[in-house]
Structure formats: structure tokens, C-alpha cells
Amino acid sequence: VSLFSTTVRFATTNEVATYSNGSIAPMRIINANRSPKAIIHILMKFWLETPFQRIKVFRTALENFVNARPREWVALVGFRATRVEADFGYVEYRIICQHREAWQNIGPILQSKADLSSFSLEVSKKLDLRYVSPPMPVKLTAPGFNHSGLISNYSSENETKEPRSAENTLTADDLQDVAALFVIRE
């Protein structure tokens, strides 16, 4: 940093660039080394008719996953519904976790985020929470052509599933086999 220019280094590729201070004055500048304990956000969409008990089990499984990795994660900071789309049939949840590393050490942060995302996906599959968007209608006609034969090949597999029942009650302890798929880093 000098009176007229600032030299920066792009962390992932180690490229060096020099900017005039006037060009970066209106920008938000972050020193990744001085931004400790990265905050990670993951978005998940769950089926609108999901019983709240399953959502609580999902959250407990996430808490157990994060608490089992104290060298990676500080805590599960938040788990909240951020968007309800009744017309589309889903509720969007935001998972917020605090990592032990500073943003400057991006490699381990991205790996931990990938592990947490994969774990969340596997648990949501096991609890039958995943939102599957309805199929979009496709018009298969063109001027001068008759495609009526294509419509007769439509199969019932494309129809939406029946509403899921709440009979399959799982607890966070039942999801330990999913947690075992993910290695705890030393």
C-alpha cells in the first residue's frame, strides 16, 4: 500500500496485481488473514409437507456432525427457514456454520463445506426431506408436423409422487451410518 496504489495477491492462483487507490476507493476490501473463523452458508430445499419432527431430527444430525469435528467447526451458528414457497411446494432452509480457519486458508474451508453439504444431502435423502420440483410441461409440436404419437408414449413415472407419510420416524441416532461416511480430519 502506497499513497497512490495498492498491490494485492489473489490467494487461489497467487497472481499479483496493482490497483490505483482511486479505483478501489468505493469498493469493499477484505483482508482474508484478518477475517478469522469463516462463516459458511448452505441452502437446502425441503418438501413443504414435511413434518416438523423430521426437520428437528435433521438439525440434530447436523449438530452432531459439526460437534464431532471440533478441529474443523466452531459451531452450527444457525438453521432457519428463510423462504416459504407454497405455490412451488418447498421451504428453503439456510444452514450456517462457523469454521475454525480464517478465510485466507480457503482450501480446508471449501473441503469442510463440501463435506457438510454432502452430509446434509445424504441425511435429507434418508429422512425423505428432499424437494423434487414438478416436471415442466413441454410442447412438442412444430408448424406443419403432427406429433400426436409422442403424447401416447407418456408414462405414469413422470407424475408427481403421492404425499409422503410421517410413519417412518427416524432419530438422529439412526443416521450414524451416514455420519460414518465422512472422515473426521485430524
Side-chain angles (χ1 to χ4, degrees):
V1 176
S2 70
L3 184 59
F4 299 106
S5 66
T6 299
T7 302
V8 297
R9 181 177 307 271
F10 188 53
T12 55
T13 62
N14 219 16
E15 296 173 87
V16 176
T18 302
Y19 296 102
S20 69
N21 288 341
S23 68
I24 62 174
M27 295 180 183
R28 180 177 178 204
I29 301 170
I30 298 172
N31 183 344
N33 191 35
R34 294 187 181 206
S35 300
K37 297 190 174 33
I39 303 291
I40 303 298
H41 296 259
I42 299 171
L43 295 176
M44 298 284 295
K45 290 181 181 177
F46 296 145
W47 181 55
L48 185 66
E49 299 297 325
T50 301
F52 187 65
Q53 184 62 33
R54 285 192 195 173
I55 300 294
K56 290 186 343 188
V57 169
F58 181 83
R59 181 191 172 118
T60 303
L62 281 178
E63 287 172 342
N64 292 343
F65 183 83
V66 169
N67 292 338
R69 291 156 178 76
R71 293 179 189 230
E72 287 182 65
W73 300 106
V74 174
L76 177 67
V77 177
F79 177 77
R80 61 184 66 101
T82 55
R83 193 167 139 196
V84 177
E85 290 287 346
D87 292 339
F88 295 112
Y90 71 86
V91 179
E92 184 179 79
Y93 280 83
R94 184 174 296 264
I95 302 166
I96 307 165
C97 290
Q98 188 172 23
H99 202 275
R100 291 245 179 245
E101 297 288 335
W103 275 112
Q104 187 173 18
N105 197 3
I106 193 74
I109 293 170
L110 292 178
Q111 184 60 52
S112 294
K113 181 179 181 179
D115 290 346
L116 184 61
S117 297
S118 298
F119 175 77
S120 300
L121 176 64
E122 292 302 318
V123 171
S124 70
K125 283 195 253 182
K126 191 142 190 165
L127 291 172
D128 197 24
L129 297 174
R130 292 183 325 123
Y131 167 71
V132 179
S133 62
M136 297 297 291
V138 178
K139 185 175 181 181
L140 297 174
T141 60
F145 291 98
N146 182 1
H147 292 285
S148 61
L150 293 176
I151 296 172
S152 65
N153 292 335
Y154 178 80
S155 74
S156 61
E157 293 174 353
N158 295 333
E159 293 179 12
T160 57
K161 293 172 30 176
E162 290 295 317
R164 303 169 192 148
S165 66
E167 294 171 13
N168 303 359
T169 306
L170 293 173
T171 65
D173 294 332
D174 297 330
L175 302 172
Q176 289 304 318
D177 59 329
V178 176
L181 295 173
F182 298 87
V183 179
I184 298 176
R185 291 186 178 63
E186 298 293 323

